[in-house]
Amino acid sequence: MSVAQVSSTHERLERAASVFDVQRVRRDFPILGTSVNGKPLVYLDNAATAQKPQAVIDAVSRYYANDNANIHRGVHYLSERATAAYEDVRRRAQVFLGAGEAREVVFVRGTTDAINLVAHSYVRPRLEAGDEVVISAMEHHSNIVPWQLACGERGARLRVVPMTQAGELMLDAYEELLNDRTKMVALGHISNALGTVNPIKEMVRTAKERGIPVLVDGAQAAPHLTIDVSDLGCDFYAVSGHKMFGPTGTGLLYGRAELLEAMSPYQGGGDMIETVSFERSTYARIPAKFEAGTPNIAGVVGLGAAIDYLLSIGRASIAKYESELLQYAVEAIGGVEGIRLVGTPRERAGVVSFLMEGIHPHDVGTIVDQEGVAIRTGHHCAQPVMDFYGIAATARASFAFYNTREEVDSLVTALGKTHELFG
Ligand code: PMP
């Protein structure tokens, strides 16, 4: 399919998205029918990984049943089918992300892989001693450690945009941090620990006005918001397939063509070269230059099905439903005796982090699991956020569009029992 055809199919899918019916949507996810300890599963760990609709499961098994072959190399029937399926997803991903060209979409293993790619191939070679990379106080470890590694090697410095007790970034301080030595700004779109939706478009503009490249970690945004990298104006945008209802081991890195072209390869191997001799190799054009070796072809096909599925539900319907559900959840969880919410941002999506007086978050997680309710406890790969609040861990409920108010009520009842027993 051409990009124009993909765009018009996407528009048709989003227009055709009927009124949001959560019970109908739930039937698309077989795992949601699971019982846990004799109780219906209440899955509130979506920020860690989302469940998969039957359409994604079927796309992966159909691929293996009908199309499986290695891509880009064979002239035979199956290889051509597999290559077409894989490249077709690239065009769908381009439209999904709002990228100008399909070659600006690199298939990766996930957000972690995408950020490491940019840190290694874009930032590291351009960093000199005394340079700076700016991140924020609420980043996931995946958007801290790769920059720390690059800075450590080059004698550069990591600078951190501070946040308030509410869990919002301090924009004045951000502006003050940017200077001639800033070689990269890397910011999370939505915090996985607090749920804060950062004013990312404004923050990108602030950096771009000073000629500084920006990477956005969109791991938590892709399942909840419409992403439009052209509108955001960022240079790189990273997402994980498994958090947006696709297979694990898949992800997308959007990179502005000009920058991707100027970057050195990340990994060497098959598919990323043009010519190889023992003296020297030349590299393939983008995006193949960054896709060494046999990729997760079946996973990418499944990711394409996830994109289609999200569009068929309608991203505007998803955002509206989720925002009402989240508001309900924030009030209901916050109203349980002994609960303190961690982070109270004005703009929030997907996540509610909390503590219960007198009981460790891990114990809260274990007790509510007895009631069939799956939440996450721990530092959520955001230890600096925990340090900021002077705590070791939180309990975190995280939502998807298939969750319901009744499920929030189940969590609240389970939390009430926990408080009675141990609080
Ligand atoms: N950034 C954020 C904000 C995340 O929530 C996560 C996953 N929890 C990641 C990066 C890393 O994603 P992945 O493990 O899929 O590479």
Side-chain angles (χ1 to χ4, degrees):
M1 257 201 267
S2 70
V3 167
Q5 282 168 323
V6 172
S7 288
S8 79
T9 311
H10 280 199
E11 275 167 27
R12 195 158 34 75
L13 278 172
E14 291 222 273
R15 261 202 318 274
S18 50
V19 182
F20 187 81
D21 174 353
V22 70
Q23 291 307 333
R24 186 174 58 82
V25 164
R26 286 179 69 80
R27 288 196 287 277
D28 295 334
F29 292 79
I31 211 167
L32 296 181
T34 304
S35 290
V36 179
N37 301 319
K39 314 247 166 58
L41 166 71
V42 174
Y43 186 74
L44 300 178
D45 195 16
N46 295 284
T49 198
Q51 299 301 350
K52 319 303 171 202
Q54 192 65 49
V56 168
I57 300 167
D58 287 348
V60 173
S61 60
R62 253 200 325 269
Y63 168 80
Y64 279 128
N66 302 318
D67 302 324
N68 179 53
N70 213 330
I71 55 166
H72 294 154
R73 297 165 208 181
V75 290
H76 60 80
Y77 173 78
L78 281 182
S79 178
E80 284 182 358
R81 271 177 77 90
T83 304
Y86 182 82
E87 290 303 330
D88 192 52
V89 177
R90 200 186 305 278
R91 287 185 285 274
R92 273 138 72 199
Q94 174 204 339
V95 177
F96 180 78
L97 293 173
E101 301 179 61
R103 66 191 181 120
E104 297 182 309
V105 176
V106 181
F107 289 124
V108 289
R109 285 190 298 126
T111 303
T112 306
D113 196 29
I115 298 174
N116 276 280
L117 191 164
V118 176
H120 182 274
S121 293
Y122 182 77
V123 168
R124 196 181 297 233
R126 288 166 180 76
L127 272 187
E128 288 173 13
D131 283 344
E132 297 177 353
V133 172
V134 170
I135 60 169
S136 90
M138 60 176 77
E139 300 307 324
H140 186 278
H141 297 164
S142 299
N143 202 27
I144 302 174
V145 184
W147 309 115
Q148 218 159 36
L149 287 168
C151 287
E153 201 171 279
R154 296 292 183 170
R157 227 173 123 198
L158 202 58
R159 308 292 308 271
V160 182
V161 184
M163 67 176 179
T164 62
Q165 280 295 320
E168 294 178 339
L169 294 180
M170 296 181 180
L171 300 185
D172 291 347
Y174 166 59
E175 228 174 301
E176 276 163 30
L177 275 179
L178 303 179
N179 62 55
D180 295 348
R181 294 181 302 274
T182 316
K183 289 291 146 53
M184 187 78 185
V185 167
L187 298 167
H189 198 158
I190 297 180
S191 156
N192 70 307
L194 304 169
T196 313
V197 181
N198 288 316
I200 206 71
K201 189 170 170 182
E202 188 185 332
M203 295 183 83
V204 170
R205 194 175 52 235
T206 306
K208 297 300 295 180
E209 278 166 4
R210 291 159 177 78
I212 303 165
V214 184
L215 174 140
V216 179
D217 169 351
Q220 294 298 336
H224 302 293
L225 306 178
T226 298
I227 309 298
D228 185 343
V229 294
S230 303
D231 182 54
L232 286 181
C234 58
D235 299 281
F236 299 101
Y237 197 98
V239 308
S240 294
H242 70 99
K243 294 188 200 282
M244 49 178 277
F245 316 97
T248 50
T250 65
L252 303 171
L253 169 66
Y254 158 78
R256 215 147 49 74
E258 203 186 318
L259 300 192
L260 289 179
E261 270 170 347
M263 282 158 61
S264 45
Y266 179 38
Q267 295 182 319
D271 246 24
M272 53 72 72
I273 53 86
E274 192 180 54
T275 62
V276 175
S277 72
F278 289 122
E279 288 70 41
R280 109 177 239 279
S281 301
T282 57
Y283 307 122
R285 303 174 78 87
I286 63 167
K289 184 165 78 175
F290 299 107
E291 294 181 9
T294 302
N296 184 357
I297 309 165
V300 165
V301 168
L303 180 57
I307 289 174
D308 291 350
Y309 182 80
L310 272 171
L311 296 174
S312 74
I313 302 294
R315 285 179 289 180
S317 308
I318 289 174
K320 180 170 180 294
Y321 176 80
E322 286 190 352
S323 115
E324 288 165 9
L325 180 69
L326 195 66
Q327 200 179 336
Y328 181 77
V330 168
E331 280 168 24
I333 296 168
V336 176
E337 222 186 314
I339 292 261
R340 170 161 77 86
L341 297 182
V342 179
T344 49
R346 282 161 294 179
E347 294 289 328
R348 181 202 285 268
V351 168
V352 183
S353 257
F354 57 91
L355 295 171
M356 184 175 276
E357 218 171 70
I359 172 165
H360 193 280
H362 288 313
D363 296 328
V364 175
T366 307
I367 297 164
V368 302
D369 179 58
Q370 298 302 308
E371 304 294 320
V373 182
I375 59 169
R376 179 144 299 233
T377 62
H379 54 59
H380 317 296
C381 297
Q383 281 183 0
V385 173
M386 303 298 123
D387 292 345
F388 173 79
Y389 288 105
I391 54 183
T394 73
R396 179 188 74 182
S398 58
F399 300 87
F401 56 77
Y402 45 61
N403 290 125
T404 63
R405 286 185 179 216
E406 291 71 33
E407 291 184 309
V408 174
D409 295 343
S410 299
L411 169 64
V412 165
T413 306
L415 290 174
K417 279 190 194 167
T418 312
H419 181 66
E420 268 170 36
L421 285 171
F422 299 95

